[in-house]
């Protein structure tokens, strides 16, 4: 923005001089100033100024009155040279960028000219922020308004469109939808807004709404102008209808575009922070200057973390988009923080939905950099042991800065990443004295400070040891003395807590590993500053104190005692995960457990989820440690029990890591049942990721292992899941063959499992057009399990064969027995289809509408798809073609989203039929072609042939 006076015309007129507002109360003065500002540094003739100020009714002494107005304006502006007199008019001598209307045009031009999407977005946003209301809203000049308002308002609309195009190119479609709904409401004839709304909805998996938006525009244009949508919009509508791949959101750009949350995730600043004034000033200057990374390097206990967190809190206002913090545990006894876990946590914190976080660390790192591009954030990466631990977390943008703490200077970051190292040494004598005086009261603390080596950690432990003990002095290591002063019970707990592999622990975990009530003992340790409690109920060690505790443990506790403590901690974790599994996903079959004793106090699903969220880093660390150091069984039992939670929370990276670690532990122990279970676990995970080839590989391994073990039930279960993989990937023949193998494995006594397999086999037969086989499979299922589902599925197959009376009997019996909403909806939908085939359209409409009400909102979406197709066919029979088309489009959207292959082809066929009825022959042929191609890909011969007839 230009310096000097500032003028605003995009809304009520505002004049600011040196930060102060200048009020021009006379409307004609505002009109005169606006006329000059809209043509800065150019002579505006007197005749034009008169017209702009007085319109058709100028005063008798026009020129003299105009001179008077100019004089008063000069006085109000405080600088007579701003308005210069010319031979036939006046000139406003001002930087055009001091006038918001010109600054708006400049920013818009910069946005259009930029080849970088993020830069363009910023320029367009800068332009739009200048608008405070209608242009010249309080300037009483019809000529000025008619001459400039339409031009500027049109430019405003164009900038909106161009900015939205940029946001769409960046993948920010979901966030645009509410804004575009407003723009299409306020500007219903502006087709580009409608096109952008349709595209944003489509990319947000709201295809049906995108198609409805086109229909709404079509009606509006017809009613108001008597015209059709443009050829471009019709082409877009057709592309959305058939799911054209070119409409997909750009994956990388979508990451760049996301507007992250503004998290404030720093640990609390220490209340009695002392000294380090020179360090604080230097680090603050570097971070806010031109240095991208500042590394605080120093020995353990010197206060690097405290200093980094303190500076980060001081600079919060300089980084308004947030701060991120992570303890990388580079020098911990256990494994350092896992890169995938850290990146995943950062991405979730920045607002990335779990399902959009890739499992690969490199892809996560790319996503993080894209998210941080253009943001002003500060990252604190604590306890890094090597440059490679830091690099995946670096933002790669000048607007974000990083503070790293390490025992080393991390020269690799200096050489390759432009880092600057700030050495952090022990306190000065004055700083030590100041801290001890604050903790112990005034006095001569020089000797104590010297015995502590001026290390802040040692000083605080010593002060905690001496507090209230006037007759005690420090004669050795403060940490050793603090430990020696403890009673035996907290001493033992202090030692055993060093077996914890994760970043923190609860009182319950401590109680389990030491087989004591640890609450009071932890309070004793916290008072002695040997543990800290950063948040209520959770405790952690400083790295040096962990090492000291571990050394004491190796010296004082026998290997068997240490192993008992470690196993007890794992048992506590396993009992906790199992308790959560009972509450959150009781239906998931798990490996036999070796856990014993009471579970943590978790009483409901909400508490279970909170417990798992809080303990996840500890559980991941425990699985890894158990896989590497034993007992191996705990690694695979924990991983197996945890997979339901990782599925629910879509913690894909952690799931992948724990499953592979547990698989390696099982293989190393030659424990074939666990190895098979982990292969099945990974098969499910890769199915979730859509990596069908890998999913099939792991399922096949699991089948081989279970076959070698002679576990037919487990083998059958894996085959059933494998059939789903084949079905999802579109290989229906392989899905059927796998199901037949599954059924061969099942014992006749397993009636429920056998009937489920027969249901799936019958459904596949229906999709393949093999109705005789479907009737046979469903009849066998009915004989084994005469329930509502059995009657519904057999009734469906009989209806498709044209055996309507038999079908009706089974469907009505299904409704008599009763079922869950989805099952009842299936029975109603098939009865509706039966009534429609019998010519009873009114009854069919009633039944199908009842069915849809059961599953439309959050119900089984495969059933909802079928119901919409039947309801659409009924609407078509009633000649309500628009409603029918809308239902078929919604069904197509849902079928594609959930991978319901035959439903997708059916929807395309129904859509082709109704589009032909609507005289949209080209669109109808396109839908039929799509159906034929998809049917051929999937082996759906009957549907393929029907589609080819339509095409």
């Amino acid at each position: 923005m230009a310096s000097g006076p500032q003028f605003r015309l995009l809304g009520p007129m505002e004049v600011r001089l040196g930060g102060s507002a200048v009020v021009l109360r006379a409307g004609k003065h505002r009109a005169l100033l606006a006329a000059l500002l809209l043509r800065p540094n150019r002579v505006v003739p007197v005749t034009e100024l008169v017209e702009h100020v007085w319109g058709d009714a100028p005063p008798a002494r026009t020129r003299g009155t105009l001179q008077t107005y100019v004089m008063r304006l000069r006085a109000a502006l405080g600088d007579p040279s701003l308005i210069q007199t010319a031979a036939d008019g006046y000139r406003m001598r001002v930087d055009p960028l001091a006038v918001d209307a010109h600054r708006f045009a400049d920013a818009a031009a910069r946005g259009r000219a930029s080849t970088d999407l993020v830069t363009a977005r910023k320029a367009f946003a800068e332009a739009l922020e200048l608008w405070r209301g209608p242009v010249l809203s309080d300037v009483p000049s019809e000529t000025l308004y008619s001459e400039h308002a339409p031009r500027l308002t049109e430019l405003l609309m164009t900038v909106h469109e161009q900015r939205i195009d940029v946001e769409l190119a960046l993948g920010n479609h979901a966030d645009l939808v509410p804004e575009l709904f407003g723009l299409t409401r306020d500007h219903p004839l502006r087709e580009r807004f409608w096109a952008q709304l349709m595209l944003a909805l489509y990319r947000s998996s709201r295809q049906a709404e995108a198609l409805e938006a086109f229909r709404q525009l079509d009606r509006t244009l017809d009613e108001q102008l008597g015209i059709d949508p443009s050829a471009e919009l019709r082409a877009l509508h057709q592309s959305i209808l058939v799911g054209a791949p070119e409409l997909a959101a750009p994956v990388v750009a979508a990451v760049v575009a996301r507007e992250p949350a503004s998290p404030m995730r720093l640990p609390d600043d220490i209340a009695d922070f002392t000294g380090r004034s020179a360090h604080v000033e230097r680090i603050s200057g570097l971070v806010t200057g031109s240095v991208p990374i500042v590394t605080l390097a120093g020995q353990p206990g010197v206060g690097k973390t405290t200093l980094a967190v303190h500076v980060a809190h001081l600079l919060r206002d300089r980084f308004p988009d947030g701060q991120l913090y992570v303890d990388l545990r580079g020098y911990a006894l256990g494994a350092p923080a896992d890169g995938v876990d850290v990146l995943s946590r950062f991405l979730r914190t920045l607002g990335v939905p779990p399902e959009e976080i890739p499992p690969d660390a490199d892809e996560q790192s790319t996503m993080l950099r894209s998210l941080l591009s253009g943001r002003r954030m500060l990252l604190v990466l604590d306890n890094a042991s090597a440059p490679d631990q830091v690099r995946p977390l670096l933002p790669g943008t000048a607007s974000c800065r990083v503070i790293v703490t390490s025992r080393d200077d991390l020269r690799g970051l200096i050489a390759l990443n432009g880092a600057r190292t700030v050495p952090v040494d022990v306190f000065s004598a004055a700083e030590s004295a100041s801290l001890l005086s604050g903790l112990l009261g005034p006095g001569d603390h020089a000797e104590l400070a010297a015995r502590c080596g001026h290390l802040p950690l040692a000083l605080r432990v010593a002060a905690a040891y001496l507090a209230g003990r006037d007759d005690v002095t420090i004669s050795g290591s403060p940490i050793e003395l603090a430990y020696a002063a403890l009673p035996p019970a907290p001493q033992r707990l202090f030692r055993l807590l060093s077996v914890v592999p994760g970043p923190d622990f609860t009182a319950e975990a401590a109680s389990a590993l030491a087989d004591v009530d640890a609450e009071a003992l932890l309070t004793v340790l916290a008072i002695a500053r040997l543990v800290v409690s950063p948040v209520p109920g959770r405790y952690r060690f400083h790295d040096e104190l962990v090492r000291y505790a571990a050394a004491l443990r190796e010296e004082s506790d026998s290997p068997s005692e240490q192993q008992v403590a470690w196993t007890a901690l794992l048992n506590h974790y396993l009992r906790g995960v199992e308790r959560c599994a009972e509450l959150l996903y009781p239906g998931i079959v798990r490996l036999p457990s070796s856990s014993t004793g009471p579970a943590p106090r978790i009483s409901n699903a909400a508490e279970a989820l909170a417990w798992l969220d809080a303990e996840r880093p500890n559980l991941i660390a425990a699985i890894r440690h158990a896989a590497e150091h034993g007992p191996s069984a705990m690694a695979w039992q924990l991983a197996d029990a945890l997979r339901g939670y990782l599925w629910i929370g879509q913690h894909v990276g952690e799931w992948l890591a724990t499953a592979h670690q547990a698989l390696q532990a099982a293989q190393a122990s030659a424990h074939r049942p666990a190895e098979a279970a982990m292969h099945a676990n990974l098969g499910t995970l890769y199915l979730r990721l859509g990596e069908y080839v890998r999913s099939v590989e792991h399922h096949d391994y699991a089948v081989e292992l279970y076959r070698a073990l002679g576990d037919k039930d487990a083998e059958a279960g894996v085959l059933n899941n494998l059939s789903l993989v084949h079905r999802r990937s579109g290989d229906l023949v392989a899905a059927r063959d796998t199901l037949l193998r599954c059924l061969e494995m099942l014992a006749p006594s397993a009636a429920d499992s056998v009937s489920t397999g027969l249901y799936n086999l019958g459904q596949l037969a229906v999709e393949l057009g093999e109705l005789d086989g479907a009737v046979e499979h469903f009849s066998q299922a009915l004989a084994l399990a005469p329930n509502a589902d059995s009657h519904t599925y057999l009734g469906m197959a009989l209806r498709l064969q044209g055996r309507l009376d038999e079908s009706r009997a089974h469907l009505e019996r299904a409704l008599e027995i009763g079922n869950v909403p989805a099952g009842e909806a299936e029975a109603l939908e098939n009865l509706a289809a039966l009534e429609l085939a019998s010519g009873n359209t009114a009854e069919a409409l009633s039944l199908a509408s009842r069915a849809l009400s059961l599953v439309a909102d959050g119900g089984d979406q495969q059933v909802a798809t079928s119901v919409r197709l039947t309801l659409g066919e009924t609407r078509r029979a009633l000649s309500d073609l628009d409603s029918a088309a809308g239902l078929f489009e919604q069904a197509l959207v849902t079928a594609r989203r959930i991978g319901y292959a035959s439903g997708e082809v059916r929807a395309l066929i129904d859509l082709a039929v109704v589009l032909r009825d609507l005289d949209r022959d080209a669109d109808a042929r396109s839908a039929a072609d799509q159906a034929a191609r998809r049917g051929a890909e999937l082996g759906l011969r009957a549907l393929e042939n029907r589609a080819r007839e339509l095409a």
Side-chain angles (χ1 to χ4, degrees), residues 29 32 61-74 90:
H29 290 173
L32 173 59
R61 296 183 62 257
T62 302
R63 187 173 290 273
T65 306
L66 184 62
Q67 289 174 342
T68 301
Y69 284 3
V70 169
M71 179 185 66
R72 290 175 179 171
L73 267 183
R74 286 170 172 161
Y90 295 92

Side-chain angles (χ1 to χ4, degrees), residues 391-571:
R391 286 199 179 99
L393 305 174
L394 297 179
T397 178
S399 59
C400 293
R401 297 300 163 86
V402 181
I403 299 177
V404 182
T405 74
S406 178
R407 297 181 186 180
D408 304 300
D409 59 12
L410 304 182
R411 291 182 182 274
L413 292 180
I414 300 172
L416 297 179
N417 301 95
R420 187 77 60 84
T421 298
V422 175
V424 181
D425 205 346
V426 298
F427 270 172
S428 67
E431 288 173 326
S432 296
S434 176
L435 177 60
L436 290 174
S437 295
L439 297 172
L440 296 173
D444 183 3
H445 303 298
E447 183 179 353
L448 174 59
R451 289 188 178 277
C452 293
H454 298 287
L455 276 170
L457 174 65
L459 291 167
R460 290 185 179 277
V461 173
Y465 171 71
L466 292 173
R469 300 179 179 179
D470 296 334
D471 57 339
V472 176
T473 59
I474 293 287
S475 58
S477 162
I479 296 174
E480 292 176 3
L481 289 173
Y483 170 77
L486 296 172
Q491 281 186 338
R492 175 176 175 270
L493 179 62
F494 176 71
R495 298 194 305 270
L496 293 180
L497 283 171
S498 63
V499 306
V500 176
D504 63 5
F505 49 88
T506 63
E508 274 191 303
S511 298
L513 75 88
D515 193 23
V516 294
D517 184 352
E519 193 84 52
L521 302 181
L522 285 169
T523 301
V524 172
L525 293 175
I527 291 172
R529 302 287 298 191
L530 295 177
V531 298
V532 295
S533 179
V535 295
R538 306 197 73 85
Y539 299 85
R540 65 188 309 158
F541 278 117
H542 187 283
D543 286 347
E544 280 308 289
L545 294 176
V546 172
R547 293 182 181 280
Y548 177 63
L552 290 172
R553 170 170 54 81
E554 293 293 338
E555 187 179 293
S556 305
D557 302 291
S558 68
S560 63
E561 289 174 315
Q562 296 179 50
Q563 186 62 31
V564 166
W566 168 231
T567 304
L569 176 64
L570 288 173
N571 183 74

Side-chain angles (χ1 to χ4, degrees), residues 619-632:
L619 296 170
I620 303 302
I623 291 169
R624 177 174 177 174
H625 197 76
E628 293 175 353
H629 304 289
S632 298

Side-chain angles (χ1 to χ4, degrees), residues 26-45:
K28 287 183 171 51
H29 290 173
R30 294 196 297 273
L32 173 59
L33 180 59
L36 294 168
L37 290 172
L38 287 166
R39 296 171 65 181
N41 303 312
R42 294 171 60 187
V43 175
V44 184

Side-chain angles (χ1 to χ4, degrees), residues 256-263 321 349-351 370-373 375 377:
V256 178
R258 186 186 307 279
E259 289 293 343
S262 298
D321 292 321
T349 300
L350 291 169
S370 299
L371 281 169
L372 296 179
S373 177
R375 307 280 291 180
M377 297 190 72

